[in-house]
Amino acid sequence: MNSSRNICVDGNEAVARVAYALSEVIALYPITPSSPMGEHADDWAAANRPNLWGGVPDIIEMQSEAGAAGALHGALQKGALATTFTASQGLLLMVPNMFKIAGELLPAVIHVAARSVATHALSIFGDHSDVMAVRSTGWAMLCSSSVQEAQDLALVAHAATLTSRVPFLHFFDGFRTSHEVSTVTPLDDDVIASMVDDEALIDFRSRSMSPDHPDVRGTAQNPDVFFQGREAANSYHLAVPGIVAEAMSAFERRTGRHYGVVEYVGAPDAERVVVLMGSGCGPVEEVVESLTAAGERVGLLKVRLFRPFPASQLVEALPPSVRAVAVLDRTKEPGSVGEPLYIDVRTAIDEAMDADELPFVTAPRVIGGRYGLSSKEFTPAMAKAVFDELAKQRPKNHFTIGINDDVTHTSLDWDKSFRLARPEGEFQAVFFGLGADGTVGANKNSVKIISDTTGAHAQGYFVYDSKKSGSITISHLRFGRRPVRSTYLVTEADFVACHQFGLLERVKVLDLAKPHATFLLNSPYPLEETWQRLPAGAREQIIAKQIDFFVVDAHKIASNADLGTRINTVMQVCFFALTGVMPTEQAISEIKSAVEHTYGRRGRTVVERNFAAIDAALEGLVRVEPLEFSPVPEAVGADGAGALTISQRVAGASDFVRNVTAVLMADEGDSLPVSALPVDGRFPSGTTRYEKRAIATEIPVWDPSICTDCGKCAMVCPHTAIRMKVFSPDALEGAPEGFLSKAFRSKDLSGHLLTIQVAPDDCTGCGLCVEVCPAKSKTEVKHKSINMEPVLEHRAQERERFGFFSNIAELDRELLPHDSVKGAAVLEPLFEYSGACAGCGETPYVRLLSQLFGDRLLVANATGCSSIYGGNLPTTPWGYNAEGRGPAWANSLFEDNAEFGLGIRLGLEAQKRAATSLLRSLSAEVGPALVSSVLDATQEDEAAISAQRGRVADLKKQLSRLVANQGGSGGNGTGDIARMAAHLLVLADYLVDKSVWIVGGDGWAYDIGFGGLDHVLASGRNVNILVLDTEVYSNTGGQASKATPRAAVARFAASGKGTPKKDLGMIAQSYGNVYVAQVAIGANDIQTVKALLEANAHPGPSLVIAYSTCIAHGIDMSQSMNHQKDAVRSGYWPLYRFRPTEAEQGQPFTLDSREPSMPVGEFIGSEVRFAALARAHPDHAKELADLLQKDVDERWHYYQQLAGVQRTVVHEGPPGGGEAGTNGKGSDGEVPSEKES
Amino acid sequence: MSSASVDLRTTYLGLALHSPIVASASPLTGNVATARRLSDAGVGAIVLPSLFEEEIVAEELRISTALDAGAFQQPEASSYFPAMPVVPTVAEHYVQNLARVKAAVDVPVIASLNATSPGSWSRYAALLAAAGADALELNIYRVVTDPALDAAAVELAELELVRDVCRRARLPVAVKLSPYYSALANFAGSIVGAGAAGMVLFNRFYQPDLDLEELEVVPRLELSSQFELRLPLRWLAILRPQLPSSVSLAASSGVHGAEDVAKALAVGADVVMTTSELLHSGPEEVRSLEEDLRRWLYEHEYTSVSELRGSVSRVAAEDGEAFERANYMQTLRSWAVTG
């Protein structure tokens, strides 16, 4: 084929192009890693791109994948060509409809970027556990192993489903294929059109539901016919392999690209064959080529059609000479005799042998193994190990490859030094950058330039860490003359670039450089100083590997061009200049046209600034001659204080942290053996404190002389890096020189001191604390009580101060008023240093929750941003206090969080009931007075809780004594007492009240989890729900939810959401007995504090909807609290509390914000989510903005009326006797002032 | 003979206007419907709201930064916004709006640029000409805070800017000046030398206020008051005889009634610009302003605007020095009388 017309796309885009062309209805729900397919479709529909028949597909985002499958089913029954895209749990939610669709022989395709199903942990990465979980639904299953295949087989799937009537699940490996950018020969529309079976399409349409020729579908059947009916479609399924084979032949005739339902490559007389499907075929094929070239008799059988399983084709495709077959599955099925592909292959071979067809010279030995779960690397070395195993007399069955299983010893060893010779002329490069510096975007662009301009085959794959702020990105690029099949990371790079000097201390970037490689470093230092500041390891590798070393001060060049920290184009120019992949002038012109393409639509300024940076890039590029600077002096680090080493960071931590967490933090988790991991997915709390990522360039520094003790800085800090402690002066003994403190202004705590301290290595430098600080210097207004200062000048000092500060004991919780900002801010936070975005609007609420109730808190957390920054390894921000108490946190799924949290509540109550019953039974032994004091305790505030903890501690002492004294004596009831005491011992703590919070984002609460949330609200049970409302699906990249406001642009609302935001609070209030509050911490922090306290105290269900600023709003995140203020001032986000009361004439609804004092237009004009629409479609934007203003006016008017409405709760109390919550001092019910001082 | 026969025609920047009352930049002139009402009410010309260089740059950067925020930073989101369609920039919107206003009115439309220094943005001057602007008003608005920058350098840069715009625009250009020059008479002459066809006296500096409670600077826009006409009156009178008669002069700031218009014309303005009064009373106020002006002229036995124009400027005035000394003594005396 003519490679000059090749395109460079990732797997998702390649598939989406085909699916879009062949669909009329696309029902969607975002889920990683499949979301981009739907987003592409949405973008194209927004641009009115037609499908093959000239219409624009109807793209609809649903409330869940279950909803998407339902809509798909309906569209199919109506005779529309329909598709959807999904992965993992999303696919599982489609299962019921998948059974229906297949049972009804409705032709459809679901494209799946295959991803791990959450088990002991969630994973967004790729394996086949999702698709394998639906293999019984009756859908045909077609697997692609590369980006090119994903495009081509997408078409085969769409063609074959129409002909066969059997629906198709087309899958490819999540991330490895879905997100790999690759050179692909695209499909012309006429090729796509020619693959569509017109007769079949007409038949499909004529079968559709119609009142003009009515019939009935979805009947209920009885034992008499169901079974026969189930067998009635057999012939359709049996025909599928033939139809797919025919479609593949037709495809080959049109494109020249050959595919088979199974496909064998390798020695015709192979004795050892590996069977697998998906992207793992790449390295196996490379090894087969290499080994056969060396005369070894090996081969690879790629399986493309997995359902209906093409048994006879598979047996026929195997060479008759085969003696040993290893079947590799990218999934795990605990308890089965083997993984699915293994069982099927083995059965197919056995059945062929049974049929006396004697296809093989000798009966081959068949073994099965697992590889690549959750995108675990699968390399040629591992493939080689499998072939080696097959050569053994007694190869291991049910093996694993790619890990070290030192527990059940399933794993094969592999030679980690094994490397294949790289194809002639291939070039490999790796780039280390930060998420915010644009490295990945630039590299995607470079791949495209190289592919489009030079005709080379290119590949780009991008690896991220799990943080949303200060995240490290590693880009792996290959290009050469042949299609790149290497579906694994680059390990021997010809070119290594490090885009941030500081990364050298965090990552061993030169480990990936091959000898004589070129190394490009962005360095802010002069040449000699650069050399001195390199970590010693890097200097040694440069010398040992004779690396050609270049530096450029890209920050200076970008900054001179007014581009801030966006160094991507500068580094890109240097890359092209150093590698010579094309003439530099040509590369520069290509980069400029890419800049024009990307930024041109945003105006000339950005384009011109990038052009200036591009033109200046090479001026600063210099070769470093390392030997000039020998002998190597002691490295001085990237800054005076240097980053802490991992061993420094985890010194004194638990064994687990030192042996496991530290390894994960060092990005060496692949080396951990099975025995190192928990068997049930439980991990220790409070581990972010060991991260010390030191990512801020500026940190806040406190000036106590003008501090007013208000606590606002600590209250808004998204990363809990601003800490407040109140202590008596004697705590200052041994304080480092210059440790800052001031007299704490308090009637009750006179003589106490206050210190506000930054955690310098944990701060992200977002600046929110400074923005909210109300204390301005009398003599210089811009100097506040807290000010951002360069980290290099302050880190060492602040580190020392923070070290001392950390060891100051926390103040007794009982001494602080919890219903004030100042008091709450001093409470010990048990949520700290999360990986959330700098300036995150969600985390202040979460942290506040941990301060108010952390020592008795149970959290059910919906999947989303909060579960990622809350629980993505290597560390968790959820901590514990000096007594070892802290929030117990769990994530179940996205869709079920309310129910999950309710279950936790039910479990808690069951345990309390059991404890109460046991306590009563042991009354004589532990003393009736203690029993009644424990059972009658009110626990209405901190003091009472503390007292109850004391009583329970006494009780536990007695119980321990009972167990010790009477345990094992048996008989006469004493054994029973000991047993009861032992049981009560583990339950006694539940006699102290706990606080159950169900936390999640708006995607969960408004959409996918709404049914469950509604049910939990209706249950009357004592649970608290915190909705972190960013008004968009934040974690998956800004898709619209039903919380998205009218007039905002979001994914799936590219032309502005036309419908108003759902009023979740009013829905909840309709029950009458649900506590509801709408809060915005940046607008009114005291109202937020009171709402959380009241919600907790309310004995029934409570719902707190918290306005959470997000980067998806398109705002300067350092100003996010001002945006919250404006949201409230404009009436866009009214603050209120609905407090169900049993008083007869109660007026439960209180408006806590003032009448709107600015037009909504003024608020929305400052956020790009709205402003972007005003630029693209000014008239439409104006229309929507006017409607939004009307929404706001109407809602304010409605709320104002509600504020006078009397309503009395008739409900007797929650079923199940739920305990009342505890609220500290509670609330006096007054409307908190918006300007607490 | 009646006031209706009084001839209000004037010439400004080479454009023949049927009235000396020009609607200066305001929301009224930027909106097609209100611009048409101004035109229907008889306004002489319309000056569109300014295209702000800073506004263009700031908005482009803000949107671009926001769209890039979070892009390719974590595996689950490639970015946080849908693909942006190719959208018109602020300048393109301005040009489109200019074309719409131009089509809706039958009086000359003057585009307005607000800028501080020569730069690539000056391409907009050419764009505006292409879009049908009849003339261009260049608003030089700058608060020089750099202590290293001396007055001469600032003036040189501004002259360079004027020259650049005049060359590119190929339209008559009026420069809207601030009154705060050390040697305004000299600078005005240089501006003409740089190619300007006229001058607007003066622009009003945006002067933010201070919120004493919050100790924050707050934006506060006050409409002009009648008092503010005094400064332009004085300088019109001074500059009119110094500049060639081909150089157009416009009075701006503090024009609230027909007598204000008459005063400005009397000291040498070719046109009189008003905003506050129109914002306050609506576009139709132009009609009554003109009627009042006609009446005043008729009552004072003027048959045309051209007759009145410049009659009280320095040369024509009985006491030429009076304006130059700002009639300090008289001012004090009037205080004594009214106070």
Side-chain angles (χ1 to χ4, degrees):
Chain A
M1 303 301 293
N2 178 8
S3 66
S4 67
R5 53 185 285 274
N6 284 350
I7 56 170
C8 203
V9 289
D10 66 17
N12 276 329
E13 184 176 349
V15 169
R17 290 161 70 104
V18 173
Y20 185 90
L22 291 169
S23 296
E24 295 163 313
V25 172
I26 305 181
L28 293 165
Y29 192 76
I31 183 165
T32 305
S34 70
S35 310
M37 287 188 275
E39 291 162 11
H40 281 302
D42 186 47
D43 288 345
W44 296 329
N48 283 320
R49 188 201 279 201
N51 65 12
L52 201 62
W53 295 274
V56 175
D58 201 340
I59 315 282
I60 185 158
E61 184 194 23
M62 299 301 294
Q63 88 285 11
S64 70
E65 289 90 350
L72 176 75
H73 186 188
L76 296 170
Q77 279 292 21
K78 193 57 216 76
L81 295 169
T83 192
T84 186
F85 315 108
T86 195
S88 190
Q89 326 292 140
L91 184 62
L92 302 198
L93 282 176
M94 294 183 176
V95 166
N97 262 299
M98 290 177 71
F99 275 99
K100 295 284 295 178
I101 291 167
E104 293 162 350
L105 287 180
L106 293 169
V109 181
I110 298 179
H111 297 277
V112 176
R115 157 181 162 182
S116 310
V117 171
T119 49
H120 61 293
L122 169 146
S123 168
I124 58 168
F125 294 102
D127 64 37
H128 300 165
S129 56
D130 53 1
V131 294
M132 287 305 167
V134 304
R135 66 183 193 275
S136 65
T137 55
W139 284 55
M141 293 170 65
L142 193 59
C143 179
S144 294
S145 59
S146 69
V147 178
Q148 180 75 59
E149 277 189 41
Q151 172 199 263
D152 294 350
L153 297 192
L155 176 55
V156 168
H158 279 271
T161 192
L162 261 184
T163 310
S164 67
R165 297 186 55 180
V166 173
F168 270 62
L169 189 147
H170 169 232
F171 68 100
F172 44 96
D173 289 349
F175 283 103
R176 190 62 251 184
T177 306
S178 68
H179 281 58
E180 177 186 302
V181 178
S182 177
T183 306
V184 162
T185 306
L187 292 166
D188 293 336
D189 277 355
D190 56 353
V191 171
I192 297 176
S194 72
M195 290 288 290
V196 176
D197 182 342
D198 251 354
E199 289 303 311
L201 177 56
I202 290 167
D203 277 355
F204 169 53
R205 299 241 198 257
S206 65
R207 290 193 302 271
S208 76
M209 286 173 73
S210 168
D212 295 320
H213 45 82
D215 51 27
V216 177
R217 304 165 188 218
T219 56
Q221 296 184 352
N222 301 322
D224 53 348
V225 297
F226 182 93
F227 194 168
Q228 300 95 302
R230 196 78 184 99
E231 301 294 330
N234 283 356
S235 51
Y236 289 87
H237 291 272
L238 291 170
V240 167
I243 289 170
V244 173
E246 174 43 40
M248 287 171 162
S249 301
F251 183 85
E252 186 176 1
R253 288 194 295 277
R254 291 171 176 95
T255 65
R257 292 195 291 283
H258 169 77
Y259 297 105
V261 292
V262 293
E263 194 175 322
Y264 178 79
V265 291
D269 57 350
E271 294 184 335
R272 289 172 287 151
V273 173
V274 168
V275 180
L276 81 166
M277 54 186 170
S279 64
C281 289
V284 178
E285 191 166 357
E286 288 181 337
V287 169
V288 165
E289 260 179 27
S290 164
L291 294 182
T292 50
E296 294 202 40
R297 295 168 65 184
V298 295
L300 157 69
L301 187 78
K302 303 177 196 176
V303 175
R304 294 217 171 80
L305 184 67
F306 175 69
R307 283 288 179 272
F309 194 72
S312 59
Q313 289 92 333
L314 181 130
V315 171
E316 278 166 28
L318 285 168
S321 51
V322 67
R323 289 174 178 276
V325 175
V327 185
L328 296 182
D329 272 278
R330 199 162 200 159
T331 187
K332 177 174 173 66
E333 210 168 288
S336 72
V337 295
E339 272 61 38
L341 185 61
Y342 161 75
I343 293 175
D344 288 2
V345 169
R346 185 163 187 139
T347 305
I349 290 173
D350 281 357
E351 286 186 358
M353 301 294 288
D354 285 352
D356 285 336
E357 290 168 3
L358 299 176
F360 307 113
V361 178
T362 57
R365 178 187 287 273
V366 182
I367 58 172
R370 297 181 291 278
Y371 75 104
L373 265 59
S374 178
S375 290
K376 172 72 78 186
E377 275 286 273
F378 182 61
T379 63
M382 296 172 194
K384 170 74 163 45
V386 174
F387 281 113
D388 291 347
E389 189 68 19
L390 281 177
K392 290 181 181 168
Q393 194 69 32
R394 290 197 162 278
K396 184 183 278 186
N397 199 356
H398 308 298
F399 63 84
T400 56
I401 178 73
I403 57 170
N404 173 11
D405 176 8
D406 57 343
V407 177
T408 51
H409 308 289
T410 59
S411 53
L412 304 183
D413 288 333
W414 73 99
D415 174 5
K416 294 176 182 65
S417 66
F418 176 84
R419 299 276 188 278
L420 291 174
R422 301 307 307 174
E424 179 79 19
E426 188 194 70
F427 190 89
Q428 302 188 97
V430 284
F431 304 77
F432 295 82
L434 285 181
D437 67 17
T439 298
V440 169
N443 284 323
K444 287 198 173 195
N445 184 243
S446 294
V447 173
K448 198 168 163 47
I449 288 174
I450 293 166
S451 176
D452 292 353
T453 311
T454 68
H457 286 273
Q459 177 200 57
Y461 189 71
F462 308 93
V463 178
Y464 307 83
D465 70 19
S466 51
K467 307 291 187 227
K468 290 171 190 280
S469 55
S471 61
I472 300 175
T473 64
I474 310 173
S475 310
H476 298 255
L477 267 56
R478 290 188 177 96
F479 40 93
R481 288 178 220 143
R482 290 174 31 170
V484 184
R485 287 178 310 201
S486 307
T487 49
Y488 46 89
L489 302 177
V490 170
T491 52
E492 290 184 299
D494 300 280
F495 179 89
V496 176
C498 182
H499 288 196
Q500 303 289 342
F501 197 96
L503 290 180
L504 290 171
E505 289 181 328
R506 294 165 67 184
V507 193
K508 293 173 188 159
V509 303
L510 289 171
D511 281 5
L512 299 183
K514 74 178 200 186
H516 303 287
T518 302
F519 175 41
L520 169 64
L521 174 65
N522 171 25
S523 167
Y525 307 110
L527 276 191
E528 183 159 359
E529 199 181 335
T530 293
W531 182 252
Q532 285 171 355
R533 287 183 183 274
L534 287 180
R539 286 183 300 196
E540 283 157 15
Q541 291 206 56
I542 288 170
I543 293 166
K545 293 185 181 177
Q546 294 183 289
I547 282 169
D548 208 3
F549 179 23
F550 294 84
V551 294
V552 63
D553 186 350
H555 279 123
K556 188 167 147 198
I557 295 167
S559 164
N560 286 346
D562 285 333
L563 280 176
T565 58
R566 301 290 287 188
I567 56 161
N568 49 354
T569 43
V570 176
M571 297 304 284
Q572 202 181 0
V573 171
C574 295
F575 160 71
F576 276 105
L578 290 176
T579 54
V581 55
M582 65 177 71
T584 306
E585 279 312 306
Q586 187 188 2
I588 286 176
S589 127
E590 292 292 338
I591 293 169
K592 282 187 176 175
S593 64
V595 163
E596 186 77 50
H597 177 75
T598 309
Y599 297 116
R601 61 189 66 181
R602 302 183 193 170
R604 298 312 303 167
T605 310
V606 186
V607 172
E608 281 163 8
R609 290 184 178 188
N610 272 289
F611 282 7
I614 290 166
D615 290 335
L618 295 179
E619 287 167 18
L621 181 62
V622 206
R623 172 181 261 121
V624 184
E625 301 291 350
L627 297 179
E628 283 177 25
F629 306 124
S630 298
V632 175
E634 189 60 27
V636 291
D639 63 67
L644 297 168
T645 65
I646 287 180
S647 54
Q648 282 173 318
R649 287 184 259 154
V650 299
S654 68
D655 286 353
F656 186 91
V657 168
R658 281 184 290 108
N659 298 332
V660 179
T661 307
V663 178
L664 299 178
M665 290 194 302
D667 199 24
E668 289 169 358
D670 281 325
S671 69
L672 285 174
V674 170
S675 63
L677 275 298
V679 295
D680 55 3
R682 286 187 296 144
F683 279 80
S685 291
T687 42
T688 44
R689 69 184 65 164
Y690 304 113
E691 293 256 22
K692 303 288 170 224
R693 298 194 297 145
I695 59 173
T697 53
E698 287 189 324
I699 55 172
V701 174
W702 186 46
D703 175 356
S705 70
I706 48 176
C707 181
T708 61
D709 306 7
C710 71
K712 286 179 186 291
C713 51
M715 188 58 66
V716 301
C717 177
H719 289 80
T720 325
I722 299 281
R723 311 299 283 252
M724 280 179 84
K725 271 186 186 171
V726 173
F727 47 86
S728 65
D730 51 10
L732 284 183
E733 196 179 325
E737 202 180 320
F739 184 81
L740 301 174
S741 61
K742 69 178 284 291
F744 184 55
R745 298 182 192 178
S746 162
K747 292 195 296 283
D748 307 324
L749 290 166
S750 62
H752 277 66
L753 299 176
L754 166 75
T755 290
I756 293 180
Q757 176 63 50
V758 66
D761 291 307
D762 305 294
C763 173
T764 65
C766 72
L768 274 186
C769 50
V770 176
E771 200 51 43
V772 299
C773 177
K776 297 168 183 168
S777 161
K778 289 269 181 289
T779 51
E780 190 192 353
V781 169
K782 73 177 177 186
H783 178 79
K784 293 183 163 186
S785 181
I786 194 158
N787 302 283
M788 296 306 283
E789 303 284 352
V791 71
L792 294 187
E793 292 168 21
H794 291 271
R795 182 184 283 156
Q797 183 184 27
E798 294 300 328
R799 223 178 235 175
E800 189 185 19
R801 290 176 179 176
F802 181 70
F804 178 79
F805 177 90
S806 302
N807 290 323
I808 298 176
E810 295 286 339
L811 195 67
D812 189 338
R813 293 174 63 85
E814 294 170 45
L815 297 177
L816 292 160
H818 295 193
D819 58 348
S820 75
V821 171
K822 184 171 159 176
V826 176
L827 293 172
E828 183 181 12
L830 297 174
F831 177 91
E832 59 184 5
Y833 321 136
S834 76
C837 297
C840 175
E842 294 188 357
T843 45
Y845 298 107
V846 178
R847 193 216 47 253
L848 180 56
L849 204 58
S850 83
Q851 288 173 301
L852 294 174
F853 320 115
D855 61 1
R856 53 188 183 278
L857 178 63
L858 294 110
V859 177
N861 205 130
T863 307
C865 274
S866 54
S867 74
I868 296 300
Y869 61 64
N872 202 133
L873 291 189
T875 54
T876 178
W878 294 96
Y880 50 87
N881 64 17
E883 289 81 47
R885 292 196 186 92
W889 182 91
N891 159 249
S892 169
L893 297 168
F894 193 12
E895 61 271 22
D896 74 338
N897 190 48
E899 302 92 310
F900 180 59
L902 177 67
I904 290 173
R905 177 85 234 173
L906 299 180
L908 188 65
E909 285 170 10
Q911 287 177 315
K912 187 178 177 182
R913 283 198 303 276
T916 304
S917 162
L918 284 166
L919 184 59
R920 290 204 171 106
S921 304
L922 290 168
S923 180
E925 284 75 16
V926 300
L930 179 58
V931 170
S932 59
S933 70
V934 166
L935 294 181
D936 296 342
T938 55
Q939 305 191 50
E940 79 284 1
D941 58 21
E942 286 285 340
I945 287 173
S946 181
Q948 179 77 340
R949 283 205 177 114
R951 288 187 283 269
V952 169
D954 290 345
L955 171 65
K956 285 166 83 173
K957 273 186 210 145
Q958 297 218 45
L959 294 171
S960 299
R961 184 178 45 77
L962 287 173
V963 171
N965 290 350
Q966 302 186 354
S969 58
N972 302 331
T974 52
D976 286 346
I977 286 167
R979 214 164 32 246
M980 282 195 287
H983 276 286
L984 184 51
L985 204 48
V986 296
L987 294 172
D989 284 332
Y990 303 110
L991 295 165
V992 180
D993 281 355
K994 302 289 184 281
S995 183
V996 175
W997 283 80
I998 297 169
V999 177
D1002 49 281
W1004 157 67
Y1006 286 68
D1007 287 357
I1008 195 169
F1010 176 69
L1013 181 114
D1014 176 62
H1015 197 82
V1016 170
L1017 290 175
S1019 73
R1021 298 287 184 154
N1022 185 14
V1023 292
N1024 310 296
I1025 300 168
L1026 174 63
V1027 178
L1028 304 162
D1029 191 350
T1030 61
E1031 309 197 308
V1032 79
Y1033 286 82
S1034 297
N1035 192 48
T1036 47
Q1039 295 85 0
S1041 77
K1042 286 197 286 297
T1044 303
R1046 206 200 292 265
V1049 165
R1051 292 194 189 276
F1052 304 121
S1055 43
K1057 185 154 171 282
T1059 51
K1061 179 185 175 101
K1062 163 166 151 180
D1063 196 338
L1064 185 62
M1066 284 298 136
I1067 293 171
Q1069 283 174 46
S1070 70
Y1071 285 109
N1073 63 335
V1074 176
Y1075 176 91
V1076 185
Q1078 187 154 286
V1079 304
I1081 198 168
N1084 189 338
D1085 43 15
I1086 184 60
Q1087 191 244 5
T1088 302
V1089 171
K1090 291 201 175 196
L1092 292 179
L1093 288 170
E1094 289 170 357
N1096 185 62
H1098 180 62
S1102 305
L1103 174 69
V1104 178
I1105 306 171
Y1107 187 72
S1108 303
T1109 37
C1110 175
I1111 51 171
H1113 293 182
I1115 60 174
D1116 173 355
M1117 291 299 281
S1118 74
Q1119 298 294 316
S1120 61
M1121 294 304 140
N1122 289 330
H1123 283 263
Q1124 294 202 9
K1125 279 185 189 139
D1126 288 349
V1128 172
R1129 274 182 199 145
S1130 64
Y1132 175 87
W1133 187 268
L1135 305 179
Y1136 66 76
R1137 287 170 295 156
F1138 177 84
R1139 292 174 289 187
T1141 165
E1142 293 182 24
E1144 274 187 18
Q1145 302 269 305
Q1147 292 183 351
F1149 187 87
T1150 317
L1151 263 171
D1152 291 337
S1153 50
R1154 301 200 178 105
E1155 185 131 9
S1157 59
M1158 66 189 266
V1160 174
E1162 205 173 308
F1163 163 63
I1164 67 173
S1166 65
E1167 306 204 340
V1168 168
R1169 59 177 166 153
F1170 298 103
L1173 186 63
R1175 287 192 64 188
H1177 308 287
D1179 297 338
H1180 184 50
K1182 172 89 174 58
E1183 194 182 313
L1184 289 181
D1186 289 347
L1187 287 172
L1188 177 64
Q1189 181 68 61
K1190 284 184 182 149
D1191 293 342
V1192 165
D1193 294 345
E1194 192 281 331
R1195 192 179 48 197
W1196 182 262
H1197 179 61
Y1198 177 51
Y1199 285 6
Q1200 266 187 323
Q1201 296 174 78
L1202 284 180
V1205 165
Q1206 294 181 346
R1207 194 165 184 193
T1208 307
V1209 177
V1210 292
H1211 179 47
E1212 284 293 310
E1219 69 200 17
T1222 50
N1223 71 334
K1225 300 287 188 287
S1227 167
D1228 55 10
E1230 284 180 13
V1231 181
S1233 156
E1234 280 177 39
K1235 259 185 67 183
E1236 194 211 26
S1237 54
Chain B
M1 183 81 184
S2 71
S3 68
S5 64
V6 173
D7 181 2
L8 291 189
R9 284 179 302 172
T10 186
T11 304
Y12 179 59
L13 305 174
L15 306 166
L17 310 188
H18 61 73
S19 161
I21 294 171
V22 170
S24 55
S26 80
L28 294 176
T29 59
N31 176 288
V32 174
T34 45
R36 191 199 300 269
R37 281 166 64 192
L38 285 167
S39 169
D40 292 347
V43 81
I46 282 171
V47 184
L48 291 186
S50 273
L51 181 59
F52 279 79
E53 178 199 5
E54 287 89 349
E55 179 191 29
I56 297 168
V57 170
E59 183 183 321
E60 283 180 10
L61 291 179
R62 192 167 67 88
I63 290 186
S64 190
T65 305
L67 292 176
D68 284 340
F72 302 122
Q73 289 200 32
Q74 54 114 341
E76 301 206 58
S78 52
S79 73
Y80 287 85
F81 286 96
M84 281 271 285
V86 178
V87 300
T89 60
V90 177
E92 285 159 349
H93 271 306
Y94 188 90
V95 169
Q96 286 167 6
N97 195 45
L98 165 66
R100 281 202 291 265
V101 171
K102 175 77 185 158
V105 302
D106 47 17
V107 294
V109 174
I110 300 166
S112 172
L113 269 181
N114 192 315
T116 54
S117 57
S120 56
W121 68 272
S122 65
R123 80 171 74 82
Y124 300 128
L127 275 178
L128 295 174
D134 295 293
L136 192 61
E137 187 173 293
L138 176 63
N139 198 342
I140 302 182
Y141 175 104
R142 189 179 192 190
V143 180
V144 181
T145 55
D146 181 355
L149 210 51
D150 65 29
V154 171
E155 289 190 5
L156 265 181
E158 289 180 356
L159 289 174
E160 187 51 42
L161 168 69
V162 173
R163 201 169 286 120
D164 196 31
V165 170
C166 291
R167 196 177 57 239
R168 280 175 178 261
R170 296 188 182 161
L171 281 176
V173 174
V175 178
K176 193 167 186 174
L177 289 174
S178 90
Y180 308 116
Y181 287 89
S182 307
L184 183 57
N186 173 276
F187 188 63
S190 305
I191 287 226
V192 171
M199 252 163 271
V200 184
L201 307 177
F202 291 106
N203 57 20
R204 296 174 73 233
F205 271 56
Y206 159 72
Q207 289 161 331
D209 200 357
L210 195 65
D211 176 337
L212 267 182
E213 290 306 311
E214 298 286 336
L215 292 179
E216 279 174 0
V217 173
V218 287
R220 189 157 293 165
L221 182 71
E222 306 275 359
L223 295 178
S224 74
S225 67
Q226 216 156 0
F227 175 77
E228 291 174 56
L229 182 61
R230 311 280 174 85
L231 198 60
L233 281 185
R234 175 178 171 197
W235 276 103
L236 282 163
I238 294 165
L239 292 178
R240 180 68 279 168
Q242 293 178 358
L243 298 173
S245 60
S246 60
V247 174
S248 296
L249 291 177
S252 184
S253 298
V255 178
H256 286 260
E259 291 196 6
D260 298 331
V261 177
K263 286 178 192 171
L265 293 170
V267 293
D270 297 292
V271 295
V272 179
M273 296 189 170
T274 176
T275 299
S276 301
E277 190 60 23
L278 301 181
L279 281 174
H280 190 256
S281 309
E284 285 67 30
E285 182 64 14
V286 170
R287 192 168 287 127
S288 47
L289 267 180
E290 284 178 357
E291 278 166 16
D292 291 349
L293 178 63
R294 276 204 178 86
R295 196 174 306 118
W296 188 92
L297 288 167
Y298 180 71
E299 284 168 2
H300 293 78
E301 299 180 356
Y302 288 101
T303 58
S304 69
V305 158
S306 57
E307 219 177 333
L308 171 66
R309 192 170 52 232
S311 57
V312 202
S313 67
R314 194 177 63 159
V315 177
E318 282 178 18
D319 178 3
E321 294 297 302
F323 276 105
E324 288 183 25
R325 286 184 282 106
N327 223 335
Y328 181 66
M329 289 305 292
Q330 272 188 18
T331 307
L332 282 185
R333 220 164 26 238
S334 66
W335 260 108
V337 172
T338 56

